[in-house]
Amino acid sequence: MNQQNLIQALPKAELHVHIEGTFEPELMFEIAQRNAVDIPYKTVDEVKQAYNFHNLQSFLDIYYAGAKALIHEKDFYDLTWAYFKKCKEDHVVHTEIFFDPQTHTVRGIAFETIFNGIFKACQDAKEKLDISSELIMCFLRHLSEEEAFEVLEQALPFKAHIIGVGLDSSELGHPPIKFELVFSKAKEEGFLIVAHAGEEGPAEYIWQALDLLHVNRIDHGVRSEEDPKLLKRLIKERMPLTVCPLSNLKLCVIEDMKEHNIKRLLDLGLCVMVNSDDPAYFGGYMNENFYAIDRALDLGEARIKQLAINSFEASFLPEQEKKKWIEKVQAM
Ligand code: HPA
Ligand code: ZN
């Protein structure tokens, strides 16, 4: 089997994808039109041209603008269902989806409208596509901790179906320590914990995510490489880093895919795996991310399989399910 076929054939878990980041221009036009929402583009080409980012903030400005088209439960359902179809194409068998309620509640959309649309698509994906999923609610770090407490409160009635809480949006200037208390409360309520750290922000933010938020995984974390002591700890604890190669390239965290550190981190013994982050904006879903790093870094079969194994190891699946998928990968 050549490596492209292997990547396609492997079962994979996705652990870092923002549902609002899967909003493809075609669907955005369709939903904006039926909701009579103005979006600042006339054609799909115009949209794609606007996706010319130079850092995280320049992306987020466009990402939040696009999300304004989402109003009704059906909009959130359609968005999520479209993503699951991409999972099926890429043989992603399990996905842990981020959603950003505050992006929508600030526009007057009810929490339950957002949640129900996304969750119903998750249920249908299990039944019709045989894809399992979990939901992770993210706090927007450019907003206050008080506002994060408010959204946590709104999430409590849906707690049985939200496995964890995370932290996303503008990283620089908004360190994890800003949210120490709300994460402590979320942990008490039984949520698992993840946080974006070390994407644009320094290694110090990763230390804070570990020591103050007590995370189960770090999202991105690629700047950990700048701190040997931190690397040692991440290796020792087998703390997962949910790495997103095309995102790093598109947001100029790296200048060339050949510079990406995923292969070095993997070879050091870190639990890294491949994820798509905001695939509608960054040029591809799971398999495109694999192809891009394989082309640039020449991974070889063993590493490709290890990345798939790590995706299950680091997932929030029950141990039996993890074991089942890991054995399938090993047998390929
Ligand atoms: N980083 C931080 N926040 C985000 C991202 C990201 O890549 N995507 C959506 N929200
Ligand atoms: Zn992200």
Side-chain angles (χ1 to χ4, degrees):
M1 209 184 309
N2 71 27
Q3 278 173 209
Q4 187 143 343
N5 291 346
L6 176 67
I7 290 166
Q8 173 61 43
L10 281 169
K12 294 159 293 269
E14 172 138 85
L15 310 180
H16 185 156
V17 60
H18 303 260
I19 201 62
E20 295 87 352
T22 69
F23 205 3
E24 292 287 346
E26 290 81 358
L27 187 61
M28 197 184 287
F29 276 114
E30 187 186 321
I31 293 181
Q33 194 164 32
R34 77 185 183 210
N35 290 339
V37 171
D38 256 344
I39 50 173
Y41 318 104
K42 288 199 197 64
T43 64
V44 170
D45 271 353
E46 254 184 52
V47 181
K48 294 271 173 183
Q49 270 164 30
Y51 293 179
N52 206 352
F53 314 116
H54 48 276
N55 58 23
L56 176 58
Q57 193 58 52
S58 61
F59 153 68
L60 289 170
D61 293 342
I62 286 184
Y63 162 92
Y64 293 128
K68 287 191 181 144
L70 300 163
I71 294 179
H72 304 290
E73 182 180 308
K74 179 170 165 38
D75 306 337
F76 290 93
Y77 178 95
D78 289 351
L79 172 70
T80 310
W81 183 250
Y83 165 64
F84 276 116
K85 288 199 284 190
K86 300 284 190 180
C87 288
K88 193 73 190 170
E89 281 172 26
D90 279 2
H91 204 197
V92 170
V93 297
H94 175 74
T95 178
E96 299 182 357
I97 301 174
F98 296 139
F99 68 113
D100 286 347
Q102 289 161 295
T103 299
H104 315 293
T105 54
V106 293
R107 300 182 287 115
I109 316 289
F111 187 98
E112 65 178 306
T113 301
I114 307 160
F115 174 82
N116 286 341
I118 297 172
F119 183 60
K120 282 181 187 165
C122 293
Q123 290 177 307
D124 283 354
K126 184 67 212 161
E127 193 185 314
K128 297 180 182 151
L129 303 175
D130 199 23
I131 298 173
S132 58
S133 58
E134 296 290 354
L135 293 176
I136 299 174
M137 174 179 92
C138 288
F139 303 122
L140 297 183
R141 68 204 301 161
H142 66 274
L143 301 179
S144 68
E145 186 177 49
E146 194 186 337
E147 287 162 294
F149 269 110
E150 280 168 23
V151 71
L152 180 61
E153 197 64 36
Q154 291 168 6
L156 291 181
F158 307 94
K159 194 165 94 169
H161 304 300
I162 301 175
I163 202 164
V165 297
L167 185 64
D168 66 2
S169 188
S170 323
E171 187 181 9
L172 286 169
H174 302 285
I177 193 173
K178 180 177 162 188
F179 296 93
E180 189 178 359
L181 297 178
V182 73
F183 273 90
S184 162
K185 166 86 166 125
K187 210 175 182 77
E188 255 175 52
E189 291 286 353
F191 292 99
L192 296 173
I193 307 290
V194 299
H196 284 53
E199 176 186 17
E200 276 190 347
E204 167 58 21
Y205 287 17
I206 302 175
W207 285 106
Q208 287 186 14
L210 296 170
D211 290 331
L212 304 180
L213 307 189
H214 307 288
V215 290
N216 300 90
R217 297 194 294 248
I218 296 281
D219 293 315
H220 291 293
V222 286
R223 287 195 61 193
S224 57
E225 205 181 23
E226 297 166 17
D227 183 340
K229 213 169 132 207
L230 174 60
L231 278 182
K232 232 169 131 178
R233 168 148 177 209
L234 296 170
I235 294 164
K236 184 158 156 261
E237 294 182 4
R238 216 160 155 71
M239 174 60 64
L241 305 184
T242 63
V243 175
C244 308
L246 286 173
S247 165
N248 296 150
L249 183 65
K250 202 69 185 156
L251 300 187
C252 306
V253 171
I254 50 168
E255 278 172 19
D256 189 301
M257 197 57 96
K258 288 192 165 54
E259 288 169 25
H260 203 287
N261 62 10
I262 190 167
K263 183 177 171 183
R264 292 197 295 276
L265 295 174
L266 184 68
D267 289 351
L268 281 172
L270 275 102
C271 185
V272 291
M273 83 302 299
V274 179
N275 302 275
S276 69
D277 206 5
D278 300 283
Y281 293 88
F282 299 153
Y285 290 76
M286 174 65 80
N287 288 356
E288 287 300 330
N289 275 270
F290 261 102
Y291 301 147
I293 53 172
D294 187 40
R295 271 195 305 270
L297 305 171
D298 190 17
L299 295 174
E301 241 185 59
R303 285 193 192 86
I304 291 170
K305 285 190 185 174
Q306 190 61 48
L307 288 166
I309 288 169
N310 290 353
S311 76
F312 293 108
E313 179 191 325
S315 73
F316 296 146
L317 279 166
E319 288 305 319
Q320 260 316 98
E321 283 289 299
K322 290 189 190 188
K323 188 162 172 272
K324 174 188 91 179
W325 288 117
I326 290 172
E327 283 172 2
K328 280 195 192 210
V329 173
Q330 284 166 336
M332 286 181 76

